[in-house]
Amino acid sequence: MSPAESLKYFNPELIMTGFLLLIIVVSLWKNYKGRRLALSLIAFAGLFFTSFALIQSAGENILIFHNLYACDPFSRFFKMIFLLCGGFIVLIVFQAREIKEKHLGEFYGILLSLILGMFLLVSSSNLLMIYLSLEFVSITSYVLTGFNRNDRRSSEAALKYVIYGGVVSGIMLFGMSYFYGLFGTLEIPAIKKGLIAALSTPYEASRPGSVQAMRLTVLAASIFVFAGFGYKMAAVPFHMWCPDVYEGAPTPFTAFLSIAPKIAGLAAFCRFLLTGFFENISNFLPVTEIPWGAILGILAAATMTLGNLSAISQNNVKRLLAYSGVAHCGYILMGLSALSGEGLFAFYFYSVVYLFMNLGAFVIVIIIREKTGQENIEAYKGLGVREPFIAVSFAVFLFSLIGIPPLAGFIGKFYLFAAVIHKAQAWYYLLAIIGILNSVISLYYYARIIKAMFIEKAVDEQPLQIFSFQKLVTFVLLIPIFIFGIYWQPLAKVATFLF
Amino acid sequence: MSVGLSHFLTIGAVVFSLGLFCVITRRNAIGVLMGVELILNSANINFLAFSHFSSGTIDGHLFALFCIVLAALECAVALAIVLAVFRNFDKVIDMEQLTTLHK
Amino acid sequence: MEHAAFQQFVYLFWIPFFPLLGAVYNGLLGSALQRRLGEKWIHAPAIVFPMLSFIITIAGFVKLTGLDPHSRALYCNAWSWLHIGNLNVDIAFWMDPLGAVMAFVVTFVGTLIHIYSIGYMRNDPGYWRFFSYMNLFMFSMLILVLGDNFLMMFIGWEGVGLCSYLLIGFWYKDEKNAVAGMKAFIVNRVGDFGFIIGVFLLFWGLGFSLETFDSSSLATVTSEETHLNSSLVIREIEESLQIESVHEAFTGKKIFGFSLVTLICVCLFVGAMGKSAQIPLYVWLPDAMAGPTPVSALIHAATMVTAGVYMVARLHFLFALSPFAMTWVALFGAVTALYAATIGFFQYDIKKVLAYSTISQLGYMFIGVGVGAFSTGIFHLMTHAFFKGCLFLSAGSIIIGCHHQQDMRKMGGLKTYMPVTRWAYLMACFAIAGFPFFSGFFSKDEILWQAFNSKDMMLPGGGKIIWLLGIVGALCTSFYMFRSYFMTFTGEYSENPHHVPKESPKQMTCVLVILGFLSIFSGFVGMPHLWHVHNLFETWMEPVFESSSSLIASEGYTHTLEWMLMGISVAVAIIGAWVAGWLYKNRENPLPGKLLASKKQIIRIPYNLIYNKYYVDEIYQHTIVWLIMNLRLALDWFDRKIIDQLVDFAGTAGRWLGRFAGYTDEKGVDGAVNATSDMVIFSGLKLVTIQTGKLRNYLGVVLAGAIILVIANYLFF
């Protein structure tokens, strides 16, 4: 439909843009008391009203702006996740001194535009739109990574990120150009139609050998495009920016980065894959013979294994959580590789659970870094005695990340494994076994932190003065971990049949 | 001989490889950025070629325009970051020496 | 899940959850509250919550009486929980007469014991922990008895095991208590293993049998009901087994030559053996007396240990299908009853006497459910809860009164100092011994009669052997219970003239009076037909056990014989009491002292054997525990050999992968376990070195990865 008519479906994004601009304007005033609070409130209000508008738009399922943009339950679900993530980050940044007050307005402005970019990414149904929103997300991420201008590590991480991201999105663009060339249009469903037409017999008969060439081209182009998505979601072999960027970036942004863009990348890839390569959503008949299940399965196995094995020797908690994020992306890819309704459901479910677990873990990392200035595991020694509430919450988040019942992480992992095992084929069983072995390996490095907290003695026995607001945020994040471990029906209901 | 689609695609592929080579082998950060630009522009070449020769629509031309803008944006941000690195690392932008984050 | 014929009672959900709220309240806030505001803030909610549960139970009870006997049940489906493949389990509660009786016993006795604990645990620094754990226990036990499916029963089963561990080791600073708690937990675990195997076999077997269900044979079935799923909901299992073809398929199935039904029942009974302390898994119960006395009363007398009996009764339709399993249950019960009773002869710690008596009485309950007299077994469960609770609480009163003295040899003559306790204890003794018209008389007698009468036992002579064991056990019971009474209350108090025992505070004595009263009079609800009076209890429980009543056969002996047997058991009780009195009253008789000091082997050997509990604990220690400990050393030897070899080969992945494969073959899985973990860490350390920090390497990996993916896919697919 035309742009003018589409605008009324574009409300959430418009509201977000409005608040984004408002923050930039408000941040022009400097040096008044309560500036931090005012800016945070505006940012939070922006997210809140956007979520309100999002909930108002429930039930729509249409393509707007000349089929560039999709407003459907799938995108709404993920937009809600991003808003939740953003909201919690705003709450944390409010009291995190890593982001100084004079730059706070810019931080919020760029953060909101990052969230806006993710909105666009998850709703894009056109190659151009995907590329533009992916770049939108990436570039804002580069800026936020290098936000601590006087910190070496921040600048170095930003440089590596920008170059890596530039190259990989260039590769993706190259792949997209071949898609355009093969099918003549930028719309994703056209890929499906084009592949069906190309593989049907009359075409084959008229130009022998061309189907072979076409298959190779489509394969190469798909892998190149996957490079772009894979880089965002940190899948092997496109994950190498992850540890450096997570370690160098300001910690509140690392927290955000570890969750929202990763899920956005996965969601966008999901949409790309399912609209472009699968004839039928309800039973996943692939249009071509590109073995997406095998590709995703092998990548999932590699990602999980590499993430978990690399995390074993880490001492820096941010880096450890970066590798653990890579591993979790592997688990989700494992669920997606099942290419079934159950796999998709497991992905949606795990996104929410992962949001809370990872946010919780990072909140505590931020708190400890604030109070002790350190990011190593040594900083966590004896935390069980100094700050029992924080230590216990961290232990709960880590246990949930490992996947121990009765916490939410276990339920999420269970659904992922169930989706794979229900395929009942030999390779999928192997994948599930690799997944389970990886969960076992991950226990080691998470437990190292827990061991440091509870069994080792602290260097300094004084309790850290932690703001009660930060403790409140931690507590609020703990609640879903416990509840979803026992009573997850509501989430399951929301997450079914989103696509 | 008439210059057809395949020639443009070959040029695109060659520029892509050159860009990759540039990114991987150069030590100067600005040089690396030049390589990134090459990669992006190679895709542009492809788009324009396809749009002209195969498809009746002008989607490719539009995509190329958007890409140019995006490349410029990315360049701006990247250069700002290189500047920050320059300042923080004592006026060095040698990729070999930017290894404080590793392992 | 479809309980269309049964009434919904939404408050059922609150029966277990009120105590859970109490547990959470005390758990989170208790320590702060105890410090700042005092004990009242802790015990007030801790008592109010179980009391609310009790009120709702009574309301449920009343509602049940208003229903037609054949659909006498209330249900409450709280939320749907697991729907995975064929497995559909909800958090749902089900109260039929059996559940109502159990819930009544648990909440009533539980609330009374909570009130008692106010006095008993006064000024204990862990006051808040105690009430938190006790409420948590009530929650778990109520989940166990009211849950409508196996999964909830198992959750409750494990929960009560946990609370038992927490409460036994309550005064954990003393290592003995902690060890006793661990022993309870570990022995319980062995039983739980059997239970879970039984549940798996049941689910699997039922699924098999349902596949043979041919729905076309039923004229009235609609098209939607053509496929029934195996279920864990107990009621649905019962219904499925009543369908002819399913019944036949299920009972006919054999595994390794054993009938599936028997195997299931035996496995489930192993769980009951652990939880209800039958031979050979009873060893934890005497040690569990290390916990505070209210704990012993509630958990190890009235409620938790009866979970096994409840389970067998609840699954009556399964057990009735297998005469072998029933015989097994009854026989174990009978042997345990006699065995534990003999140990009680020579024990000196008053709580240990009561512990062995509990094991013995549980044996009686298992005799009851083993011979098919399910409602009688439950009846004995109820009366036992009252009199054993009374006995334990009186013992607690005595212990506090004698200033934490538990050795009966150092007591005596307490009847002048603690009159209320004395009368409560005496009444409960009469009840447990089976004196006429006390509550224990009706229930125990009925069990023995049903045992005598039973035709299902696969023993030569049938139930009569069980009856014989039971009667001898009753003789012993009467003897040692009255021995404990006479040693404690008669004679002179000679211990410490400065610390004279005094009667316990009001909270404790009130409860003793209530329970003593019930010990005397509660038997009248279950009077056998012999007395030409309506047996209220049996009529109430009849519809629950309807489906298996056709499978239980009885010899059908006459009433005269029944009167005779009753006379024998009364005589036995009186003889036992008289002999105990003769030997121990007022410590006048020198015979016990002389026998103890005697060096004659004919007396020493049996005495040592029985006093040391037949050396069972020592046997366990030296066989099973020794085996596990030494296996650990053997494993350690294997590990060290493996690691040394691996360190020499810090080579490439291929080389040590091959080596590793070789070693798994050679040294077995045990050595490989440690080698695996070291390999993992080692490979992790090696793998992380690809993250060099140089961007060109990162991009190289991207390129290589993309190219490999394309080429590999092209070649292989």
Side-chain angles (χ1 to χ4, degrees):
Chain A
M1 55 177 73
S2 76
E5 289 169 3
S6 310
L7 262 187
K8 64 176 183 290
Y9 295 102
F10 204 54
N11 276 335
E13 287 79 2
L14 289 175
I15 296 181
M16 184 75 103
T17 318
F19 270 94
L20 162 64
L21 294 171
L22 182 65
I23 286 206
I24 295 180
V25 168
V26 170
S27 74
L28 289 174
W29 277 276
K30 297 194 192 287
N31 297 325
Y32 57 92
K33 205 159 145 328
R35 179 168 184 262
R36 202 169 182 112
L37 180 63
L39 287 172
S40 308
L41 274 179
I42 297 176
F44 194 77
L47 294 169
F48 180 74
F49 286 120
T50 314
S51 61
F52 192 66
L54 201 61
I55 298 175
Q56 289 288 84
S57 72
E60 292 162 2
N61 195 342
I62 47 165
L63 292 169
I64 59 177
F65 288 118
H66 293 300
N67 298 342
L68 272 185
Y69 198 80
C71 283
D72 53 7
F74 180 82
S75 61
R76 261 196 297 282
F77 181 77
F78 286 105
K79 286 178 188 175
M80 213 48 224
I81 293 182
F82 303 142
L83 286 171
L84 270 174
C85 191
F88 276 109
I89 294 297
V90 170
L91 288 179
I92 298 167
V93 169
F94 168 54
Q95 282 182 323
R97 278 168 300 167
E98 219 173 325
I99 314 286
K100 302 187 181 34
E101 202 192 292
K102 54 184 169 162
H103 300 138
L104 193 66
E106 290 147 28
F107 184 85
Y108 282 143
I110 303 180
L111 187 70
L112 285 188
S113 36
L114 179 56
I115 300 179
L116 180 62
M118 288 193 293
F119 272 35
L120 297 175
L121 181 58
V122 125
S123 300
S124 322
S125 64
N126 181 306
L127 285 177
L128 174 58
M129 197 66 199
I130 289 181
Y131 178 67
L132 284 180
S133 34
L134 194 65
E135 283 297 290
F136 192 161
V137 173
S138 301
I139 292 180
T140 39
S141 306
Y142 306 151
V143 177
L144 286 177
T145 308
F147 209 72
N148 289 344
R149 285 189 300 178
N150 298 320
D151 181 7
R152 287 193 144 189
R153 294 188 311 164
S154 189
S155 314
E156 182 190 331
L159 184 64
K160 285 187 179 158
Y161 197 10
V162 75
I163 296 176
Y164 194 97
V167 172
V168 177
S169 48
I171 295 178
M172 180 188 199
L173 195 61
F174 196 72
M176 278 182 182
S177 67
Y178 274 99
F179 269 126
Y180 173 65
L182 281 172
F183 302 113
T185 149
L186 290 172
E187 294 190 18
I188 306 182
I191 302 179
K192 182 164 65 186
K193 292 197 196 103
L195 284 170
I196 297 178
L199 294 178
S200 55
T201 355
Y203 199 83
E204 160 78 41
S206 67
R207 307 253 223 105
S210 66
V211 178
Q212 217 30 18
M214 181 183 222
R215 279 186 57 202
L216 180 57
T217 319
V218 172
L219 178 66
S222 324
I223 299 284
F224 281 12
V225 171
F226 179 72
F229 289 118
Y231 134 77
K232 211 74 217 117
M233 69 168 93
V236 163
F238 312 112
H239 71 288
M240 304 199 74
W241 58 278
C242 221
D244 294 346
V245 170
Y246 280 38
E247 195 186 335
T251 324
F253 179 63
T254 311
F256 187 78
L257 191 62
S258 70
I259 304 165
K262 192 188 296 275
I263 296 181
L266 278 162
F269 176 63
C270 215
R271 192 193 275 281
F272 173 74
L273 191 67
L274 295 177
T275 345
F277 289 90
F278 283 84
E279 181 158 330
N280 214 327
I281 300 301
S282 45
N283 49 10
F284 286 88
L285 296 170
V287 172
T288 71
E289 288 151 35
I290 298 180
W292 280 113
I295 295 177
L296 288 176
I298 295 175
L299 285 180
T303 314
M304 289 193 281
T305 317
L306 194 138
N308 279 317
L309 286 181
S310 304
I312 289 179
S313 59
Q314 298 303 325
N315 274 319
N316 183 315
V317 171
K318 280 164 73 173
R319 219 175 163 84
L320 189 144
L321 285 175
Y323 278 118
S324 111
V326 171
H328 280 277
C329 171
Y331 297 131
I332 298 183
L333 274 178
M334 177 180 75
L336 279 179
S337 77
L339 294 175
S340 61
E342 287 167 344
L344 279 182
F345 168 76
F347 163 47
Y348 305 144
F349 194 89
Y350 202 73
S351 307
V352 178
V353 168
Y354 178 69
L355 164 75
F356 287 114
M357 303 196 282
N358 225 17
L359 257 182
F362 266 108
V363 165
I364 297 185
V365 170
I366 292 173
I367 293 176
I368 299 295
R369 190 187 188 282
E370 281 261 321
K371 299 299 170 188
T372 60
Q374 286 179 312
E375 295 167 350
N376 295 325
I377 296 188
E378 276 76 46
Y380 292 83
K381 279 192 185 160
L383 203 60
V385 171
R386 292 172 80 179
E387 284 287 335
F389 174 66
I390 296 293
V392 168
S393 338
F394 200 26
V396 169
F397 290 124
L398 291 175
F399 279 130
S400 186
L401 281 166
I402 299 173
I404 290 188
L407 300 173
F410 170 72
I411 308 292
K413 279 223 171 92
F414 177 79
Y415 276 121
L416 285 169
F417 282 113
V420 173
I421 292 183
H422 271 190
K423 294 291 282 191
Q425 290 165 21
W427 289 110
Y428 282 109
Y429 284 136
L430 180 65
L431 187 58
I433 291 176
I434 294 179
I436 293 176
L437 286 176
N438 272 297
S439 289
V440 171
I441 297 175
S442 72
L443 178 67
Y444 169 71
Y445 58 83
Y446 289 127
R448 267 179 69 202
I449 304 179
I450 300 179
K451 172 181 161 231
M453 285 198 293
F454 289 106
I455 299 185
E456 294 179 24
K457 284 264 176 295
V459 173
D460 170 13
E461 290 274 338
Q462 298 292 9
L464 309 162
Q465 261 90 35
I466 298 182
F467 298 118
S468 38
F469 184 64
Q470 285 171 333
K471 282 194 189 168
L472 181 65
V473 171
T474 317
F475 183 69
V476 168
L477 284 169
L478 266 183
I479 297 175
I481 306 280
F482 283 121
I483 293 188
F484 286 139
I486 306 174
Y487 178 50
W488 63 89
Q489 279 318 107
L491 184 58
K493 258 204 299 257
V494 168
T496 16
F497 302 126
L498 275 181
F499 202 80
Chain B
M1 71 179 194
S2 62
V3 175
L5 178 60
S6 50
H7 298 96
F8 279 99
L9 290 183
T10 322
I11 300 255
V14 165
V15 172
F16 181 73
S17 350
L18 283 176
L20 272 182
F21 180 74
C22 197
V23 172
I24 292 182
T25 51
R26 293 194 68 116
R27 283 176 69 170
N28 191 318
I30 309 273
V32 171
L33 284 177
M34 287 198 257
V36 173
E37 287 296 307
L38 276 176
I39 296 177
L40 290 172
N41 282 308
S42 75
N44 270 349
I45 296 177
N46 278 347
F47 272 113
L48 290 168
F50 281 126
S51 180
H52 183 90
F53 284 104
S54 306
S55 170
T57 59
I58 54 167
D59 281 349
H61 293 298
L62 285 173
F63 206 129
L65 279 177
F66 273 108
C67 275
I68 292 173
V69 172
L70 223 86
L73 167 62
E74 196 160 335
C75 216
V77 170
L79 283 171
I81 292 178
V82 167
L83 208 63
V85 165
F86 182 73
R87 229 187 16 195
N88 281 333
F89 278 84
D90 305 321
K91 316 232 183 299
V92 160
I93 48 172
D94 183 346
M95 297 296 292
E96 284 299 303
Q97 295 183 18
L98 296 177
T99 50
T100 56
L101 298 168
H102 68 101
K103 256 190 166 233
Chain C
M1 277 181 296
E2 285 178 23
H3 297 286
F6 301 105
Q7 214 187 13
Q8 196 180 27
F9 183 44
V10 286
Y11 295 107
L12 275 183
F13 171 79
W14 290 104
I15 298 183
F17 275 84
F18 272 132
L20 180 68
L21 287 176
V24 168
Y25 166 82
N26 268 325
L28 289 179
L29 303 171
S31 122
L33 281 176
Q34 187 176 346
R35 261 181 298 147
R36 296 192 211 168
L37 294 172
E39 294 180 346
K40 224 170 20 145
W41 282 79
I42 295 178
H43 65 237
I47 290 178
V48 163
F49 282 120
M51 207 180 285
L52 287 172
S53 295
F54 175 61
I55 293 172
I56 303 179
T57 312
I58 296 292
F61 221 98
V62 167
K63 259 181 142 25
L64 279 178
T65 51
L67 294 174
D68 167 56
H70 286 282
S71 56
R72 186 165 277 169
L74 299 170
Y75 82 98
C76 165
N77 191 322
W79 70 77
S80 50
W81 190 30
L82 292 174
H83 290 271
I84 305 171
N86 277 345
L87 183 65
N88 292 320
V89 170
D90 293 340
I91 304 283
F93 300 99
W94 169 260
M95 187 191 255
D96 59 359
L98 175 61
V101 168
M102 292 297 298
F104 166 72
V105 168
V106 170
T107 48
F108 183 62
V109 177
T111 314
L112 286 178
I113 294 182
H114 277 75
I115 297 177
Y116 177 91
S117 309
I118 303 178
Y120 193 85
M121 300 295 291
R122 184 174 289 165
N123 298 329
D124 188 302
Y127 199 76
W128 60 277
R129 264 192 314 133
F130 184 81
F131 280 100
S132 175
Y133 293 158
M134 291 285 268
N135 274 356
L136 191 64
F137 169 78
M138 298 277 289
F139 162 70
S140 308
M141 190 72 199
L142 287 166
I143 294 270
L144 202 164
V145 300
L146 288 176
D148 92 326
N149 55 63
F150 269 108
L151 202 55
M152 285 184 70
M153 186 190 271
F154 188 64
I155 291 174
W157 195 271
E158 293 293 307
V160 296
L162 172 71
C163 292
S164 165
Y165 162 76
L166 289 171
L167 284 163
I168 293 174
F170 183 70
W171 290 309
Y172 56 87
K173 300 231 161 74
D174 184 355
E175 190 181 334
K176 255 195 313 108
N177 300 337
V179 169
M182 279 200 294
K183 187 171 179 180
F185 200 79
I186 293 174
V187 175
N188 238 299
R189 219 63 201 101
V190 176
D192 291 346
F193 179 66
F195 182 80
I196 260 294
I197 298 282
V199 173
F200 288 163
L201 285 173
L202 178 61
F203 188 69
W204 173 72
L206 197 61
F208 245 96
S209 313
L210 281 168
E211 280 168 20
T212 68
F213 173 52
D214 180 12
S215 59
S216 60
S217 64
L218 290 178
T220 52
V221 74
T222 60
S223 58
E224 290 103 49
E225 292 168 35
T226 46
H227 180 60
L228 291 178
N229 273 325
S230 181
S231 161
L232 282 181
V233 179
I234 297 178
R235 170 145 189 90
E236 288 180 6
I237 300 176
E238 193 175 347
E239 278 171 6
S240 323
L241 284 177
Q242 281 171 350
I243 304 172
E244 258 316 308
S245 57
V246 178
H247 180 106
E248 277 180 29
F250 193 69
T251 45
K253 196 152 181 53
K254 282 193 181 314
I255 304 182
F256 304 126
F258 292 105
S259 150
L260 177 66
V261 192
T262 309
L263 212 55
I264 292 175
C265 294
V266 168
C267 284
L268 290 171
F269 183 63
V270 168
M273 270 198 249
K275 189 66 77 188
S276 302
Q278 300 296 292
I279 295 176
L281 296 173
Y282 69 93
V283 290
W284 62 275
L285 192 50
D287 286 18
M289 297 297 119
T293 312
V295 170
S296 309
L298 182 59
I299 299 187
H300 305 124
T303 44
M304 180 183 107
V305 291
T306 56
V309 182
Y310 164 75
M311 188 227 1
V312 177
R314 173 66 81 194
L315 300 173
H316 59 97
F317 52 91
L318 265 184
F319 280 87
L321 290 174
S322 165
F324 180 79
M326 298 276 270
T327 314
W328 180 278
V329 172
L331 199 58
F332 265 87
V335 171
T336 309
L338 180 55
Y339 172 85
T342 58
I343 299 185
F345 267 37
F346 297 120
Q347 294 299 316
Y348 282 109
D349 183 338
I350 191 170
K351 283 180 75 175
K352 289 266 195 322
V353 172
L354 294 177
Y356 285 107
S357 129
T358 306
I359 301 176
S360 180
Q361 295 300 311
L362 285 167
Y364 281 102
M365 291 182 222
F366 277 111
I367 295 178
V369 295
V371 301
F374 300 107
S375 55
T376 319
I378 299 292
F379 182 45
H380 192 60
L381 192 159
M382 187 178 88
T383 58
H384 174 265
F386 296 138
F387 58 69
K388 189 50 63 66
C390 185
L391 283 170
F392 264 110
L393 296 184
S394 315
S397 174
I398 294 170
I399 291 170
I400 292 266
C402 292
H403 307 288
H404 299 287
Q405 175 62 261
Q406 290 183 237
D407 190 334
M408 292 196 291
R409 292 172 293 193
K410 304 206 171 83
M411 300 179 199
L414 291 177
K415 67 180 179 200
T416 36
Y417 302 106
M418 307 174 87
V420 178
T421 311
R422 176 234 183 162
W423 282 107
Y425 198 87
L426 187 61
M427 294 299 120
C429 273
F430 281 134
I432 194 176
F435 269 68
F437 301 112
F438 284 85
S439 59
F441 167 66
F442 290 116
S443 54
K444 201 195 290 195
D445 204 65
E446 184 69 19
I447 287 180
L448 292 174
W449 164 244
Q450 295 285 3
F452 195 87
N453 211 2
S454 146
K455 204 156 90 160
D456 289 314
M457 296 289 111
M458 291 164 69
L459 299 165
K464 304 182 187 45
I465 294 186
I466 310 262
W467 176 85
L468 190 63
L469 291 172
I471 277 285
V472 177
L475 178 63
C476 300
T477 306
S478 176
F479 173 71
Y480 70 72
M481 286 310 302
F482 276 99
R483 167 180 174 265
S484 71
Y485 171 75
F486 285 121
M487 280 181 86
T488 322
F489 287 103
T490 60
E492 284 293 319
Y493 185 72
S494 54
E495 251 319 278
N496 191 336
H498 296 292
H499 283 121
V500 168
K502 54 183 179 58
E503 188 59 88
S504 305
K506 264 209 318 290
Q507 294 96 342
M508 293 162 72
T509 50
C510 270
V511 172
L512 287 177
V513 166
I514 297 176
L515 285 176
F517 185 79
L518 283 170
S519 311
I520 305 174
F521 292 110
S522 64
F524 290 112
V525 299
M527 291 178 66
H529 300 290
L530 212 46
W531 303 86
H532 303 291
V533 177
H534 199 50
N535 190 335
L536 287 169
F537 197 84
E538 196 176 316
T539 329
W540 173 251
M541 298 287 257
E542 211 177 302
V544 180
F545 301 118
E546 230 174 356
S547 59
S548 63
S549 54
S550 52
L551 296 163
I552 312 287
S554 74
E555 296 277 358
Y557 288 122
T558 58
H559 278 318
T560 328
L561 191 59
E562 203 179 333
W563 280 113
M564 271 175 53
L565 292 177
M566 190 182 295
I568 295 179
S569 54
V570 172
V572 146
I574 296 181
I575 291 174
W578 185 81
V579 172
W582 174 61
L583 284 176
Y584 290 99
K585 183 161 179 172
N586 297 330
R587 307 287 178 91
E588 288 161 349
N589 197 327
L591 191 55
K594 267 206 297 190
L595 282 174
L596 268 179
S598 162
K599 295 279 192 240
K600 279 201 252 178
Q601 286 305 83
I602 195 167
I603 293 178
R604 278 260 75 99
I605 293 181
Y607 174 76
N608 279 337
L609 191 65
I610 297 180
Y611 183 64
N612 288 309
K613 302 159 277 171
Y614 298 97
Y615 295 108
V616 171
D617 277 311
E618 286 75 14
I619 294 174
Y620 278 164
Q621 181 71 21
H622 285 106
T623 52
I624 297 172
V625 179
W626 176 89
L627 189 68
I628 294 177
M629 288 297 168
N630 282 319
L631 199 62
R632 173 186 61 93
L633 291 173
L635 293 179
D636 185 56
W637 179 83
F638 275 136
D639 295 344
R640 274 183 282 121
K641 282 270 164 174
I642 300 287
I643 292 173
D644 284 342
Q645 300 282 3
L646 270 182
V647 165
D648 294 343
F649 287 93
T652 56
R655 287 234 311 261
W656 44 251
L657 205 61
R659 252 282 98 116
F660 171 67
Y663 270 87
T664 30
D665 286 9
E666 280 177 31
K667 305 280 185 185
V669 176
D670 298 326
V673 166
N674 239 27
T676 322
S677 73
D678 277 353
M679 184 187 96
V680 162
I681 295 187
F682 184 63
S683 63
L685 284 168
K686 275 264 177 257
L687 195 60
V688 86
T689 53
I690 61 174
Q691 193 86 14
T692 55
K694 300 202 180 125
L695 191 63
R696 69 175 53 167
N697 295 346
Y698 298 179
L699 292 167
V701 170
V702 166
L703 205 56
I707 292 176
I708 290 178
L709 275 172
V710 173
I711 294 181
N713 273 305
Y714 189 65
L715 288 179
F716 290 116
F717 296 104

